[in-house]
Amino acid sequence: MDISILIVDDDKLVVEKLVEGVNWKQLGIAIVLTAYNIRQAKEILEEARVDILLSDIEMPQGSGLELLEWVRNKEIPVECIFLSSYAYFAYAQKAINLKSREYMLKPVSNRELEEALGSIVEILQKKREEQGEGEDKKSAFWERYLLQENYSQSLLEKGYKEGICSPEGKYFLEIIRIFPDSDTKKKKNLVLYHFIIQNVAAEFMEDRHQKLMAVLRESDYEWVLVAEEKGSQEERKMDSCQLKECLEKALHMRVCFYMGVSSSVEELGKSRRNLEQMEQEAVPGNNGMLFEEEWDKKDIAYVSPPWEIWEKEMSASDMIADTQEKILHFLEELWNSNQVTISTLEQFRRELMQMIYRYLNKQDVLITRIFDGREFDEHYESAVATLPDMEIFIRYIFEKLAGFQHQDNRQESVVEQIKHYINDHLKEDLSRKTLAGSVYLSEDYVSKIFMNVTGISIPSYVASCRMQKAQEYLKYSTFSVSKVALEVGYSNFSYFSKTFRDYTGCTPNEYRNRVTKKQG
């Protein structure tokens, strides 16, 4: 089983240098996870198996010592190395009491760190050798049998002989699909997803005295769960629904299950093919569950909605929300009459966008003025994955149209609205996406008109407002510098200090000292 490490430091530059600079592969560390505060670290430690914790001590939202104390109280088996800028005896003593393997002072060279990590890896490998390789052997068999060797009979006989499976036993498959949003996809935490799904499924099955054979990752966002049959089909359905809810809670994203029928090992191939076909044709509903035994393979004729009527209603009235509700109701009726497949949703999406293009063309409005290209593409592509995704896409389209319809779209007015929003939300996310959404326009269009009217870019204006507010806090409040950073939207203390110094020519502490002297 792969060795994993979690790096915790509020300075993103430090984290990036460690991730890129250390030769993890040579050390035998296959999985490198990162967190920028204690809250993120705790979430990862609760959801994934972490072997080594490499942590800073002083961070704005809690110390590394507090994190390790929490780990020990939770009895999570983790080896720890602290990296600190402070040679405080009290810190080192506390680290020793919490059974940290190393306490290293920054800056530390990659060679020194690799030596310390190498010693810990040796300890972990010896422990694993003592524990044996039974579980790895089982997973390897199921992966070869189901995903690689096309249900090989000779491999199956070997599985019988080694006691991994039984010719008399009953087994079932479940395909698990996850639906991360675009921001989550960018992080590409595929190893973390696998850990979470594997651990949650194992714990869930163990609590119900069921035998989990393997959890196999088939693609970036899809897994195959293999388990031995126990109990009735109805009980298994209820368990699968509960497991789906547990995974959604742990992953913080939507999950869909494709549940196969109970069968012998030799018949699992047939079930697997049926589940694959279900994925290609069937659309999961609001509960995110699809069952092989209930799947009807019949061809479904597409029923075209009354697009022309809806388009006339939109053009004749400023209440386009009524049209949205009619479209959603039509879609619901199709679903209730079992007339929704992926192909029918694709046709529905295509005709919907044709109606929207015609409507905007009559208003003499370019679609790029309202919809941001990347955001629109993400919604468009995911719309046919599930029924909720199509409903989200429809609401997204009509929310943008309604906002644009009631907006004062003069350039000067839009810029003033954005300025007000920035000053009222300095503590929050002020990305281009957020600001464009506040005025129901596309990111590119908002950036262009802001530059045209003000002569500066949105990021420069946001940084300027935040620095001015930070100066006010440092001058008139008793907030600590780290608290000031959080109040003006900076979770990374080091980045805040650098930005403040670039803006004012001095550090936050130097600025406060100068102001205090003048006031005195």
Side-chain angles (χ1 to χ4, degrees), residues 24 122 198 269 335 362 434 508:
W24 303 107
E122 285 183 19
Q198 195 172 43
W335 175 264
K362 290 176 183 177
T434 300

Side-chain angles (χ1 to χ4, degrees), residues 180-226:
D181 59 28
S182 57
D183 291 335
T184 308
K185 280 184 178 179
K186 289 174 188 173
K187 297 175 184 175
K188 207 76 173 177
N189 287 330
L190 302 181
V191 174
L192 179 58
Y193 300 154
H194 182 66
F195 274 0
I196 293 171
I197 291 171
Q198 195 172 43
N199 292 346
V200 170
E203 185 177 333
F204 183 90
M205 301 290 268
E206 184 179 348
D207 288 346
R208 283 154 180 76
H209 307 290
Q210 296 178 355
K211 192 171 182 181
L212 177 65
M213 310 306 291
V215 178
L216 313 171
R217 193 173 90 191
E218 185 167 20
S219 64
D220 284 357
Y221 306 113
E222 183 175 306
W223 285 259
V224 178
L225 181 149
V226 192

Side-chain angles (χ1 to χ4, degrees), residues 508-518:
N509 279 321
E510 288 171 346
Y511 179 84
R512 173 168 270 170
N513 291 335
R514 289 177 188 176
V515 169
T516 303
K517 285 180 181 179
K518 286 182 181 179

Side-chain angles (χ1 to χ4, degrees), residues 492-503:
N492 186 313
F493 176 72
S494 300
Y495 184 60
F496 166 72
S497 295
K498 180 182 181 302
T499 305
F500 190 91
R501 186 170 59 249
D502 291 343
Y503 184 79

Side-chain angles (χ1 to χ4, degrees), residues 25-280:
K25 186 175 181 181
Q26 185 174 319
L27 285 168
I29 298 173
I31 301 152
V32 181
L33 307 170
T34 60
Y36 302 109
N37 55 54
I38 304 305
R39 178 186 57 78
Q40 290 177 356
K42 286 181 178 179
E43 288 178 0
I44 293 172
L45 286 159
E46 285 184 319
E47 295 168 352
R49 195 200 77 243
V50 174
D51 299 303
I52 304 170
L53 176 65
L54 179 62
S55 178
D56 188 15
I57 288 187
E58 290 236 341
M59 290 176 277
Q61 298 180 28
S63 77
L65 292 168
E66 292 170 351
L67 174 62
L68 184 57
E69 188 171 14
W70 175 86
V71 166
R72 298 304 184 220
N73 289 336
K74 288 276 187 178
E75 298 183 352
I76 301 172
V78 172
E79 300 291 347
C80 180
I81 295 177
F82 280 119
L83 297 179
S84 177
S85 301
Y86 305 96
Y88 294 159
F89 175 74
Y91 283 178
Q93 187 177 42
K94 179 77 170 177
I96 292 169
N97 291 339
L98 291 170
K99 298 181 181 178
S100 171
R101 289 280 177 182
E102 296 281 352
Y103 184 97
M104 307 179 78
L105 290 176
K106 296 178 181 177
V108 60
S109 69
N110 287 342
R111 181 184 58 79
E112 290 174 309
L113 182 58
E114 286 172 1
E115 286 178 2
L117 288 168
S119 299
I120 293 177
V121 168
E122 285 183 19
I123 293 169
L124 291 170
Q125 287 173 339
K126 285 180 182 178
K127 286 182 180 178
R128 291 189 178 181
E129 286 172 8
E130 293 169 2
Q131 292 170 354
E133 301 177 347
E135 292 304 314
D136 288 344
K137 192 174 183 180
K138 288 179 183 177
S139 291
F141 163 79
W142 288 108
E143 183 163 0
R144 287 179 62 193
Y145 181 67
L146 291 171
L147 305 183
Q148 296 174 2
E149 298 194 15
N150 200 23
Y151 321 113
S152 161
Q153 188 62 35
S154 61
L155 180 61
L156 185 57
E157 294 295 336
K158 185 179 179 182
Y160 291 155
K161 186 177 179 180
E162 295 180 355
I164 295 174
C165 56
S166 165
E168 292 81 26
K170 291 292 183 181
Y171 305 87
F172 65 90
L173 303 177
E174 290 183 334
I175 293 179
I176 301 170
R177 285 183 67 191
I178 63 174
F179 296 86
D181 59 28
S182 57
D183 291 335
T184 308
K185 280 184 178 179
K186 289 174 188 173
K187 297 175 184 175
K188 207 76 173 177
N189 287 330
L190 302 181
V191 174
L192 179 58
Y193 300 154
H194 182 66
F195 274 0
I196 293 171
I197 291 171
Q198 195 172 43
N199 292 346
V200 170
E203 185 177 333
F204 183 90
M205 301 290 268
E206 184 179 348
D207 288 346
R208 283 154 180 76
H209 307 290
Q210 296 178 355
K211 192 171 182 181
L212 177 65
M213 310 306 291
V215 178
L216 313 171
R217 193 173 90 191
E218 185 167 20
S219 64
D220 284 357
Y221 306 113
E222 183 175 306
W223 285 259
V224 178
L225 181 149
V226 192
E228 193 169 359
E229 172 74 344
K230 184 179 180 182
S232 68
Q233 183 80 349
E234 287 306 312
E235 288 173 332
R236 193 154 63 82
K237 284 182 180 179
M238 290 177 61
D239 285 343
S240 294
C241 289
Q242 291 173 13
L243 175 56
K244 184 183 84 73
E245 291 174 4
C246 291
L247 287 172
E248 287 178 332
K249 184 177 179 181
L251 291 162
H252 309 294
M253 65 181 73
R254 213 152 33 81
V255 177
C256 283
F257 267 52
Y258 300 79
M259 179 176 159
V261 297
S262 173
S263 64
S264 65
V265 184
E266 291 187 354
E267 290 293 312
L268 283 179
K270 180 181 177 182
S271 178
R272 174 92 179 91
R273 287 188 289 272
N274 284 339
L275 293 177
E276 285 178 335
Q277 195 171 355
M278 283 173 62
E279 275 194 286
Q280 294 169 7

